[in-house]
Amino acid sequence: DGGITQSPKYLFRKEGQNVTLSCEQNLNHDAMYWYRQDPGQGLRLIYYSQIVNDFQKGDIAEGYSVSREKKESFPLTVTSAQKNPTAFYLCASSIARKGTGELFFGEGSRLTVL
Amino acid sequence: ILNVEQSPQSLHVQEGDSTNFTCSFPSSNFYALHWYRWETAKSPEALFVMTLNGDEKKKGRISATLNTKEGYSYLYIKGSQPEDSATYLCASDKLVFGAGTILRVKS
């Protein structure tokens, strides 16, 4: 079945460590996105990519990095520079350019920094 | 960040009740407004992407209207069922999301 796969579902990290969250899609979508959710807040955009080898910062990109070497994959690295990394992370993709097509979401990754 | 606001924050209704909630968004340079349903332990799923002022879209018992001039959209659920319990999110075409409305339907 077509869809978006995020891994791992749960991740624990010690302070000062980088961690990479995986996002893979087989929907043949050009655009991919990373969102963060904190309790009581809406989804906040971290990074997005509208085409391979290109990506743009979202509203809260500080402390995060991404790559888009393949159409299917958009991994997110949470670096030690991210001051408050404990959160729920959602990856999404869409067929159209940013804002015009519905988003298809993965099931999310919950990161806890110990 | 141009804010997208949703109200109410949460709603508890009885099975069979009809309900509605609101999404307000910046009306300048509007292109599209998205509605999503997010059930517990699942991924958010798109309900509607709305682009035209005055547009009304319907999916089963759920419908939505759009007013781009004043910057709001209403989501209606007719005859709520327990399976409608979820968080309903709206997002602007800038992909800025509101905080959501949590709906709980009691049987």
Side-chain angles (χ1 to χ4, degrees):
Chain A
D1 286 353
I4 298 183
T5 303
Q6 288 187 240
S7 62
K9 200 166 184 177
Y10 299 95
L11 188 61
F12 297 88
R13 187 195 93 175
K14 292 181 180 179
E15 277 193 36
Q17 290 181 335
N18 292 354
V19 63
T20 298
L21 307 180
S22 170
C23 178
E24 303 278 331
Q25 55 101 356
N26 60 5
L27 300 168
N28 200 33
H29 286 171
D30 284 319
M32 296 187 74
Y33 315 83
W34 274 105
Y35 282 92
R36 167 182 173 140
Q37 191 203 28
D38 294 283
Q41 295 194 41
L43 302 179
R44 292 185 291 166
L45 184 63
I46 304 171
Y47 268 98
Y48 66 98
S49 167
Q50 297 191 72
I51 198 167
V52 174
N53 292 322
D54 185 56
F55 47 83
Q56 306 294 327
K57 292 182 179 180
D59 302 316
I60 56 166
E62 186 176 348
Y64 298 98
S65 65
V66 293
S67 63
R68 187 86 188 275
E69 296 176 2
K70 297 186 300 181
K71 189 175 185 178
E72 302 78 22
S73 178
F74 192 41
L76 174 75
T77 297
V78 185
T79 75
S80 56
Q82 168 50 233
K83 293 181 181 178
N84 188 17
T86 294
F88 185 70
Y89 292 88
L90 272 173
C91 178
S93 70
S94 68
I95 195 167
R97 67 176 178 87
K98 180 178 176 233
T100 62
E102 67 180 79
L103 299 180
F104 291 78
F105 286 90
E107 292 191 337
S109 295
R110 186 169 296 280
L111 172 63
T112 302
V113 175
L114 305 172
Chain B
I1 300 175
L2 299 176
N3 284 337
V4 174
E5 306 285 344
Q6 290 189 247
S7 64
Q9 189 174 18
S10 65
L11 204 50
H12 290 75
V13 301
Q14 288 293 127
E15 182 176 355
D17 288 350
S18 293
T19 187
N20 65 85
F21 21 95
T22 305
C23 173
S24 61
F25 54 88
S27 55
S28 60
N29 299 316
F30 172 84
Y31 195 88
L33 189 282
H34 298 223
W35 280 102
Y36 294 86
R37 175 169 57 199
W38 192 0
E39 297 177 67
T40 303
K42 294 186 178 180
S43 310
E45 288 184 340
L47 288 171
F48 308 111
V49 178
M50 307 181 78
T51 57
L52 299 175
N53 184 43
D55 200 9
E56 179 172 346
K57 293 205 172 186
K58 191 174 180 181
K59 185 182 285 189
R61 294 179 290 100
I62 303 177
S63 61
T65 61
L66 180 67
N67 183 322
T68 61
K69 293 182 180 179
E70 296 183 34
Y72 65 84
S73 176
Y74 293 135
L75 189 80
Y76 301 90
I77 302 178
K78 185 178 178 181
S80 302
Q81 300 297 309
E83 58 264 30
D84 295 328
S85 296
T87 298
Y88 291 83
L89 300 169
C90 69
S92 71
D93 50 80
K94 310 298 185 292
L95 296 179
V96 175
F97 277 80
T101 293
I102 301 170
L103 175 66
R104 292 290 175 258
V105 182
K106 295 181 182 178
S107 58

